[in-house]
Amino acid sequence: MTATNRFSAYLVSKDENGTCHGEVRTDLAMDQLPPGELLIRVEYSSINFKDALSATGNPGVTKQYPHIPGIDAVGTVAASDSGLFAPGDRVIVTGYRFGMDHWGGFAQYIRIPAEWAVPLPAGLSPLESMRLGTAGFTAALAVDAILSQERQRGDGPVLVTGATGGVAMIAIALLAKLGRPVTAITRKEGAVRGRLRQLGAQEVLTPEQLETSDKPMLKERWSGVVDTIGGAGLEYLVKTTAAGGVVTTCGMAAGSRFSSSVFPFILRGVSLVGIDSAAQPTGKRTRIWGHLATDWHTDLERICSEVALDGITGCVREILAGAHIGRTVVKL
Ligand SMILES: NC(=O)c1ccc[n+]([C@@H]2O[C@H](COP(=O)([O-])OP(=O)(O)OC[C@H]3O[C@@H](n4cnc5c(N)ncnc54)[C@H](OP(=O)(O)O)[C@@H]3O)[C@@H](O)[C@H]2O)c1
């Protein structure tokens, strides 16, 4: 912020044809920020699938433009009207309506309700927290759901789909760190498959290598599943999960519908667990971020790249083309 209270951000506008255009603006005024108890000077944000939708006018994510996307931010409290945080505190902001219908983290400053922030835990640098971002928090929620299912067998392989995406790559790294065998499924060919092995996947498959059958249940293969793509393939994941196993579902790049018989649920006790990163209570958010800073801490530098505000448009295109790999952090 300069003496004239101006700040820079990636602002998305919609033209009269309904087409969205994102541009870096250096002339935004502090009084344009939405209301909230905390004014935060942002250090880093990151680019998620949902940001790509927001930046291109998806009404399921953002209805009002001009808009600043960015569902993640880490930074320092510059001013506080809340007893929860004081100026100088470092906080992570994810979830709720942040970056959706409330201006988000692709900006040097944000203003938010205090309950949207959690303290940056000791053991996690601001950059590391945004290498994780909502993708890492979501991966950790899925891993937590798989680990906390008491009835699951415990040591069978965990399957991760959409393996080169941000959520999936972090899930692979977390599971490998926790000593769990991982099978990854990716549509991509080439060197990225070696990268998935280096990250901790013991086996890397293509969707074509999976069995197709009309049978209501197939051979038990996975003790847990981190499914990031949804769609019809979810039926296969449910019917190949071992007795007591947990299938988590968080994304829908491959579709929002699937069908299944009830047999895997009533004969094998398989659970289908939905992961919602946006509306977790503060206690659970703090617990999960605490794990990510300590016993689940992993070095994600090898799967991350960094851009400035002017690199957001290119990254959004890559994500929407399904060609993006890993995580991209935005440095403010
Ligand atoms: N529920 C929640 O709270 C929550 C939180 C965060 C993210 N999400 C969702 O989780 C999903 C993953 O997020 P992300 O940030 O990891 O996204 P991402 O980095 O864009 O990764 C998505 C991955 O899905 C695969 N994919 C993309 N398009 C596909 C298609 N048409 N058919 C099949 N596979 C496709 C690709 O993997 P391969 O090329 O390797 O197959 C891609 O790398 C997104 O749908 C996102 O909206 C949900």
Side-chain angles (χ1 to χ4, degrees), residues 47-53 71 133-139 141 160-170 185-189 192 196 205 207 227-230 249-255 274-280 318-328:
I47 309 180
N48 295 271
F49 193 82
K50 205 181 255 182
D51 300 317
L53 298 180
I71 62 170
T134 290
F137 181 66
T138 303
L141 287 171
V160 180
T161 66
T164 64
V167 174
M169 279 187 128
I170 297 173
I185 301 182
T186 177
R187 306 164 307 162
K188 295 190 182 82
E189 301 288 341
V192 72
L196 293 172
L205 303 175
D227 179 44
T228 70
I229 63 172
T249 174
C250 72
M252 52 170 207
I275 303 296
D276 173 16
S277 62
Q280 295 296 329
E318 266 186 24
I319 289 177
L320 293 178
H324 187 252
I325 293 174
R327 295 275 299 145
T328 297

